Each structure stands twice: as C-alpha cells, then as structure tokens.
Amino acid sequence: MTKSDARLRAVLIVVAGWILVALAWTPPTIVVEQVALKENVPSLYIFAFVLIGFVPWMFATPGILWLTRRFPLSEGRIVTPLAVLAVAGLVIVPLVTLAGQTLAVLFLQNGAIRKGDVFSVLQAAFITSFYSVPTYVAVVAIGQALGYFERYRLRERLLARAELKALQAQINPHFLFNTLNAISALGYKDPALADRALTRLADLLRVTTKAQSQEIALKDEIAFLRDYADLQTMLMPDRLDVAFAIDNDAWSAAVPSMILQPLIENAIVHGAAKRNEGGRVEVSVVPDGETLVLRVTNDVPPRPEKSQGEGIGLANVRERLRVLYGAAQNFAFERSDAGATATIRIPRREIA
C-alpha cells in the first residue's frame, strides 16, 4: 500500500467514524424535535443537521491524533502529555464547537446569518463546549490507544527481526562445522576430492554470509540446495542420492532463506550416513490452495538411533517458522521404519 493509499484510507476511516457518531446522535435529536418541541421534522433532515455539526470534528481529528502521537502517555511520562493535551483541548474544543454551531445555523437558514444570530451562536457554542469535552477526551483516548498499539507492533517486529537474525546466525556455523568435519575425514582418503569439496564449500559460504532477506524466492533457495547437495554427494560418493520434485507453479513463491538446508542436513546425517549402502533424500514443494507445502523425505537406518530430542537444525526451523508466520504455519516431523519425513506448511504468496 502506497503512502497516498494509506492517507486516503485514514481519511475515509475518520469520515466514516464521525458519520457513525452522527447516526448515534440522530435518534435522541429526533425525540427532542418531535416529542419535546412538538415539531414534525423529517428524520433525514435531522441527520443532515447533526452531521453538519460534526464536520469540524472531522477536520480537527487528524490534528488531535497528531498531538497524541507527539505527546504519548507512557510509563514515567504522564504529566507533560496530559498537560499539553489539556491546554490544546481548551483551544480546540471551543473553536470546533463554534464552527459546528455556525455551520448548523447556516444549514437551517439556507446559508445566511442574521445580525441577531451572532450572540445566539456564541452562547450556544459556549454551552455546547462543555458537552463537547467528552468528545475531545474520546478522540484523544482513541489516539493514545492507536499510538500504543503502533508502538507495540513496532517493538514486536523489532524483537522478531532480532530473534530471526539470531536463529539464522546459528545455522551458518552449525552448517560450516559439520561440513568441515566431513571434509577433514575425506582428506585422508581422497585429497583431490577434499580439495574440490573445499572449493564448493567456499562458494556456498559466499552465499550464506551475504546479506539477504528473511524470505527469498523458492528458485533461489533450490539453487542453493542443489549446490549443497552436490557438496554432500562429493563427501559421500556413490552413497547419496538427492532428488528434487518442484511444482512449476511454486518457483516464484516466497520461502524463508535456508529453511530447507537444516532438514536436508538432518536427513543425511541421521539417514543416509547411518546406512552402509547410503540412501536417498527427496525434496518436494507443491502449492496446496493458499498454502505452500515443503517436504523432505529420507531413508533411515534399519535400527533407528535413540531419539535425543530435536537437534539444533529442527529446533531452529521450528522457531524461525513460528517467528515469521505465527499460527499460520505448521511444521511436522515423522519417522517410521519406512523413512523420515519433515513437512513445512506456510502461507503461499509470491516474492515481492
């Protein structure tokens, strides 16, 4: 949403809010006109009269909301904002009330004000100002509430961003240390292959250490995973088979960066690497309505190792999904004699 769209939306909300207030004031005004004063006035005419009286409040509302943002109430900072808002109210309420009374008289008298009406308008504005104080207080309270929730949301976004960066920072050294250990073991058997693996690792590190958004296009995530799979295949020659099955409609979908790498690493370390004959890892991504389903399946050893709970990889994936998508995501990990499957479900949307 552009700034102009957001500004227009705010104006429409303010106008709609005061129209609702005018609607709420219309029934009692009808009662006064038709019952107390014994005058039969059309309801639509009375509504228009009431609404015109609130027009100055429509124009004053953005300024009042600006004041509430400029002088927010917070812990340890109450007296000064209240004093400023009270002084501003002493100016705003009489002026807005006077403008409303003037517009009401112009409406009743077809745009004309007689000499004798000036005193009556001032007197009515003076009296109505006292009744308008709760209206001013209500607008200020709404502004303070909106400001509080805006600051709360900003604080939550900053905390979530910091948490995501901390979680992402955990993956890189974990991925690096595990890979270096595997390359070190390979160096004694095949120095040339270990050298090629180090070169591929350097290419991958250039990607992982480069600043990037928390969400990237699936095609970029898969490109990185293919390079990672090639590196792992070098480290386990003739024992590892990594396959990709990506739906054509999913390539431009937004996914968290490096969200699948820990799952593939987990599948290799606890699956293929534990089997004498090696094993297969398959990565599949398919859209499912408004959801994107990412799945990693792998072979498991005949005798599953005792579960030690979730390692850093799975726990990291679970936490990143929670921070990014809240209740809109789901992460499930299942293991049986037939194999292990990790499934991620996130909201489906195109990368911006």
Side-chain angles (χ1 to χ4, degrees), residues 15 61 109 134 179 189 192 269 318 342:
V15 172
T61 298
Q109 300 179 174
T179 307
K189 302 176 183 178
V269 171
R318 192 181 297 279

Side-chain angles (χ1 to χ4, degrees), residues 187-202:
Y188 294 102
K189 302 176 183 178
D190 192 337
L193 183 58
D195 184 66
R196 293 204 305 274
L198 281 173
T199 302
R200 180 57 60 87
L201 176 61

Side-chain angles (χ1 to χ4, degrees), residues 22-305:
L23 284 171
W25 273 91
T26 299
T29 307
I30 292 175
V31 172
V32 172
E33 292 290 334
Q34 295 184 354
V35 177
L37 301 180
K38 305 298 184 180
E39 296 182 7
N40 189 16
V41 182
S43 299
L44 187 60
Y45 184 87
I46 294 177
F47 169 71
F49 171 76
V50 173
L51 181 61
I52 283 176
F54 284 115
V55 166
W57 282 105
M58 295 182 187
F59 287 94
T61 298
I64 298 173
L65 295 179
W66 178 85
L67 277 174
T68 59
R69 288 196 301 270
R70 181 67 179 79
F71 298 97
L73 297 175
S74 59
E75 186 176 354
R77 193 170 182 267
I78 297 177
V79 177
T80 299
L82 283 178
V84 171
L85 292 170
V87 171
L90 292 176
V91 177
I92 293 173
V93 172
L95 289 178
V96 171
T97 305
L98 178 60
Q101 290 295 319
T102 302
L103 288 176
V105 171
L106 289 172
F107 175 76
L108 290 173
Q109 300 179 174
N110 298 320
I113 295 181
R114 296 184 294 268
K115 288 184 179 180
D117 293 332
V118 175
F119 179 76
S120 298
V121 169
L122 291 174
Q123 186 180 39
F126 177 76
I127 296 173
T128 308
S129 293
F130 292 98
Y131 294 100
S132 298
V133 170
T135 303
Y136 174 74
V137 172
V139 176
V140 169
I142 291 172
Q144 290 290 343
L146 291 175
Y148 172 81
F149 285 114
E150 184 178 339
R151 293 191 300 274
Y152 176 80
R153 289 177 60 190
L154 176 61
R155 184 165 61 249
E156 288 296 303
R157 285 198 299 269
L158 292 176
L159 288 173
R161 191 177 304 167
E163 187 175 351
L164 282 170
K165 287 187 176 181
L167 289 169
Q168 197 170 32
Q170 290 178 355
I171 287 294
N172 290 339
H174 183 262
F175 150 69
L176 175 61
F177 295 150
N178 284 353
T179 307
L180 283 176
N181 285 335
I183 293 175
S184 175
L186 179 64
Y188 294 102
K189 302 176 183 178
D190 192 337
L193 183 58
D195 184 66
R196 293 204 305 274
L198 281 173
T199 302
R200 180 57 60 87
L201 176 61
D203 294 336
L204 289 174
L205 288 177
R206 273 191 283 272
V207 175
T208 59
T209 56
K210 183 175 64 174
Q212 57 182 332
S213 303
Q214 284 294 334
E215 287 187 319
I216 61 175
L218 178 66
K219 60 182 180 181
D220 296 326
E221 176 76 357
I222 296 301
F224 171 79
L225 290 177
R226 290 187 189 277
D227 290 339
Y228 176 77
D230 289 343
L231 172 59
Q232 294 300 322
T233 303
M234 289 183 190
L235 300 176
M236 297 176 59
D238 302 323
R239 296 183 58 238
L240 177 63
D241 177 25
V242 181
F244 294 86
I246 313 298
D247 190 281
N248 288 331
D249 294 333
W251 286 110
S252 59
V255 297
S257 61
M258 285 190 71
I259 196 68
L260 292 175
Q261 184 274 330
L263 300 182
I264 295 178
E265 181 175 352
N266 186 76
I268 294 173
V269 171
H270 300 287
K274 299 291 185 180
R275 293 163 55 95
N276 294 331
E277 70 278 19
R280 176 182 174 86
V281 177
E282 181 173 341
V283 179
S284 65
V285 182
V286 294
D288 182 15
E290 298 299 317
T291 302
L292 189 69
V293 182
L294 304 92
R295 186 171 285 114
V296 176
T297 59
N298 63 275
D299 297 328
V300 295
R303 295 180 179 178
E305 53 190 3

Side-chain angles (χ1 to χ4, degrees), residues 12-22:
L12 292 176
I13 291 174
V14 169
V15 172
W18 284 111
I19 289 175
L20 289 175
V21 173

